[in-house]
Amino acid sequence: MLSAGSLAAAFAAPVSRDDPESSDPGHKPISTAAGSAVVVTANPLASSAALRILKDGGTAADALVTAQAVLAVVEPQSSGLAGGGFLLYWDAQAKELEVLDGREVAPRSSRPGDLLTPTGDPLPWREATAQLDAIGIPGTVALLWEAHQQFGRLTWANTLQPAIGLASDGFLPSPRLLRSISLAQRIGVGHNQAFTTLYLPGGKPPPADQAFRNPQLARTLEALAQQGGPDFYRGTLARQILQEMARLKAGDPDFRGWSRSDLSSYTVLRRQPLCSQQLKHRICTMPPPSSGGVGLLQTLALLDQSTDLPGSSAADPQSWRQLAKAQAWADSDRLYWVHDPIDGGGPVAALLNPAYIKGRADKIQATPSAQPSPGLPAGIGRYPYGRPNQGREQGTTQVTIVDGFGNIASYTSSVETVFGSRHLVAGMVMNNQLTDFAFQPMINGQAVANRRLPGRRPMSSMAPTLVFKQGQPVLALGSPGGRSIPHLLSRVLLASLIWNESPQQSVGLPHLSSRGQGLVLEQDPPIPWPLPLDQLQTSDHLARLQRVGSGTALVQRINDRWHGAADPRREGTALALP
């Protein structure tokens, strides 16, 4: 166990300098806003455009389409039209919570070992991210179209105009965008000349003081505005996408390519929200193929077993230690059991059963130094899957919107790594989400639950979330952060619902993330640690300091007004209507 003095020395350097989702350097004010309608996104241009849509009488769904389209232009390193996402949408008039799954899908030519070397070893992660076999069939456009068709009031074309203008007329690239381009260059941009030409003219990022334009993406957005979302999957735009993917295939003979039916058969899936009564609230989040929702609810359920939690504060070291334990034990379950429910899925209800949770909590209490391992829920007599290594999920964004009608959108989307696969098609950054499947489909003779198969959606950690009290929504949030998303959201909800912190404090307080046998404590958080860090060091959790790249977008109802807060670790902005 480290002493307080050696702890500070061990914390001196960040763990991962090349983390695409690391926080922005320096301290920025926490953007907040309050009113009858609130927009929180990861970029001020996206927030401004979405707010204008609400001013024009649009719904949260209209504003969401606008925000994501603008983010595809100004924050392409994190999300875009050729990515995927999850949406929780509260329909205030119907008083129903809808869940849309727009996760990417493995093409029909996929094989379980597509990201293995000829000798059967997993490809190095950086090399794998740039493979054409890492690109999944995108779901973002289909999700936006379906949400707009059901919940929108303005025309589809109108919602895309702000993004078209920014892509064609240009905008000044933000510091985070330029840093992300440099990072993509260090990771390796592969053999896609279109990406290099656009984002690395002359071998370096574009100038910060000149308007940056993406005319190809402008044309793609214009086609979508004129022809609608289905054009992406079954029309002229679909043919262009397939033609450009075929040209990329010419440089990679091992890539089996996409078929017309891969695009035309893509479907947004309606799912039932995953809900649980925790921390005196009903908390609803994303079900599988997200493991983030299961992990978040399990973490909160384990915390809820503690008699010390009520009345605690951010200065209480015991709350932080319990949070770390709960995260680790929840991870051991979700990363083992959860996969695409296309073939039945994992035992999600059993993993959240109160008796099972109590048994896990009792085990933690009885043997505090025990290493977390997946449990066996009631009715399951053996472990049916191989245990995979942990993966990464890094290029992600969060949009949270409440409109003047009371509708709420909590939406998390991603292209996976910084700039996805670093391949550009029709001006769009192509995802590399299929690296979220387990690279090794078999471990010790057992199939891994989250193995790659044709038509499957890879496991995700994204967990857009809504919180209810007495049947009414009182809080909506989500965050990027890869495998740590449920860790980040559990800490924010602990601050909001138990410590009674303001939205500003809840997003700005430090993060803690339990990773394997180690404990990551946030280095240089926006709000300083409220307790000495050596109080969080234990013999079974060796701590280290690291920047944390969360991007929480939170909206909370307080005294009959909605209050929004944007994570200052990125370029997030909260805006509101009176």
Side-chain angles (χ1 to χ4, degrees):
M1 179 173 176
L2 296 174
S3 67
S6 63
L7 188 64
F11 284 169
V15 171
S16 176
R17 289 185 173 89
D18 285 343
D19 179 6
E21 295 295 279
S22 63
S23 61
D24 289 345
H27 283 224
K28 296 179 294 186
I30 299 174
S31 176
T32 60
S36 61
V38 178
V39 171
V40 186
T41 82
N43 185 280
L45 294 174
S47 293
S48 296
L51 191 72
R52 287 196 299 272
I53 292 294
L54 296 184
K55 282 182 179 179
D56 291 342
T59 66
D62 293 313
L64 171 62
V65 176
T66 297
Q68 174 61 96
V70 169
L71 289 169
V73 179
V74 303
E75 197 203 27
Q77 71 272 19
S78 294
S79 70
L81 303 181
F86 298 137
L87 171 64
L88 265 64
Y89 195 90
W90 173 251
D91 183 342
Q93 184 174 3
K95 296 192 183 310
E96 292 181 353
L97 181 60
E98 299 278 355
V99 176
L100 299 186
D101 175 354
R103 183 70 161 154
E104 297 88 343
V105 171
R108 298 185 182 191
S109 62
S110 288
R111 300 293 181 269
D114 276 343
L115 295 178
L116 297 177
T117 67
T119 59
D121 297 316
L123 283 171
W125 178 75
R126 287 191 180 186
E127 182 181 343
T129 63
Q131 299 297 307
L132 296 176
D133 277 321
I135 304 174
I137 306 302
T140 295
V141 172
L143 183 152
L144 296 176
W145 175 258
E146 188 144 337
H148 178 267
Q149 293 301 105
Q150 182 172 358
F151 303 114
R153 289 192 175 196
L154 305 183
T155 66
W156 168 259
N158 191 29
T159 65
L160 296 180
Q161 291 310 309
I164 293 170
L166 287 165
S168 58
D169 299 337
F171 63 96
L172 293 180
S174 71
R176 185 175 181 85
L177 173 56
L178 294 176
R179 283 194 299 273
S180 297
I181 293 171
S182 296
L183 179 57
Q185 188 176 27
R186 294 200 300 274
I187 291 176
V189 297
H191 53 265
N192 187 254
Q193 186 59 45
F195 183 94
T196 303
T197 300
L198 180 65
Y199 291 110
L200 290 165
K204 57 185 180 180
D209 59 351
Q210 295 181 20
F212 176 80
R213 297 176 177 84
N214 188 340
Q216 282 192 313
L217 183 56
R219 288 193 289 272
T220 294
L221 287 162
E222 287 170 350
L224 286 172
Q226 294 171 11
Q227 303 300 325
D231 192 54
F232 189 99
Y233 299 92
R234 294 180 289 278
T236 303
L237 187 54
R239 290 192 290 274
Q240 180 185 350
I241 292 169
L242 291 172
Q243 288 168 0
E244 293 196 28
M245 288 296 293
R247 282 197 289 270
L248 291 176
K249 182 181 182 300
D252 183 356
D254 293 330
F255 178 53
R256 286 181 293 276
W258 292 1
S259 68
R260 182 182 301 176
S261 63
D262 282 325
L263 280 177
S264 64
S265 64
Y266 184 87
T267 304
V268 173
L269 297 179
R270 303 276 178 144
R271 301 199 186 274
Q272 290 299 311
L274 186 62
C275 300
S276 180
Q277 189 75 20
Q278 307 296 343
L279 309 185
K280 298 181 180 179
H281 293 76
R282 183 167 176 79
I283 301 173
C284 295
T285 185
M286 190 70 202
S290 173
S291 71
V294 176
L296 173 61
L297 294 183
Q298 261 206 355
T299 299
L300 298 178
L302 289 168
L303 283 174
D304 229 2
Q305 294 289 314
S306 170
T307 57
D308 302 327
L309 202 60
S312 65
S313 73
D316 177 15
Q318 184 64 9
S319 294
W320 292 93
R321 294 192 202 107
Q322 289 173 336
L323 177 61
K325 287 283 188 185
Q327 289 174 355
W329 283 79
D331 274 359
S332 67
D333 269 345
R334 72 179 178 101
L335 297 174
Y336 177 79
W337 288 106
V338 177
H339 58 280
D340 187 342
I342 192 172
D343 55 1
V348 173
L351 293 173
L352 296 173
N353 183 283
Y356 177 77
I357 293 294
K358 186 178 186 306
R360 299 283 275 178
D362 289 346
K363 187 172 182 179
I364 295 172
Q365 182 71 23
T367 54
S369 61
Q371 291 302 312
S373 60
L376 280 176
I380 299 177
R382 64 180 184 87
Y383 290 100
Y385 305 119
R387 298 189 187 185
N389 295 323
Q390 297 168 352
R392 309 185 183 202
E393 179 181 22
Q394 298 175 311
T396 306
T397 198
Q398 171 70 26
V399 175
T400 308
I401 300 171
V402 57
D403 63 28
F405 310 105
N407 305 306
I408 303 172
S410 181
Y411 167 76
T412 315
S413 70
S414 178
V415 290
E416 176 61 0
T417 308
V418 60
F419 284 102
S421 62
R422 280 89 67 203
H423 289 288
L424 222 59
V425 168
M428 302 179 293
V429 171
M430 304 301 287
N431 70 82
N432 68 293
Q433 293 286 10
L434 301 190
T435 57
D436 273 350
F437 284 119
F439 284 22
Q440 289 183 298
M442 301 286 292
I443 302 225
N444 296 326
Q446 286 185 300
V448 173
N450 181 41
R451 65 195 180 278
R452 174 177 177 142
L453 290 172
R456 267 198 177 192
R457 302 175 186 223
M459 184 186 73
S460 172
S461 294
M462 297 186 293
T465 300
L466 265 69
V467 178
F468 295 82
K469 191 166 188 177
Q470 297 177 345
Q472 294 299 314
V474 296
L475 192 151
L477 78 164
S479 178
R483 192 182 66 85
S484 298
I485 286 174
H487 303 176
L488 307 175
L489 297 182
S490 60
R491 205 282 296 144
V492 173
L493 288 173
L494 180 61
S496 296
L497 304 181
I498 297 297
W499 298 341
N500 294 316
E501 299 285 0
S502 67
Q504 181 176 0
Q505 290 285 115
S506 293
V507 301
L509 278 167
H511 284 301
L512 167 154
S513 179
S514 185
R515 301 180 184 179
Q517 299 182 24
L519 184 64
V520 169
L521 305 177
E522 184 174 9
Q523 181 182 21
D524 196 26
I527 296 174
W529 280 95
L531 72 171
L533 291 182
D534 57 359
Q535 293 186 15
L536 302 180
Q537 173 70 29
T538 64
S539 58
D540 60 313
H541 258 124
L542 298 178
R544 63 183 188 267
L545 265 188
Q546 180 176 326
R547 287 190 176 275
V548 175
S550 63
T552 305
L554 181 149
V555 173
Q556 185 172 5
R557 191 164 181 81
I558 303 171
N559 297 329
D560 296 325
R561 295 187 82 207
W562 288 102
H563 296 251
D567 201 319
R569 297 166 182 86
R570 298 193 176 201
E571 296 168 337
T573 304
L575 297 174
L577 296 179

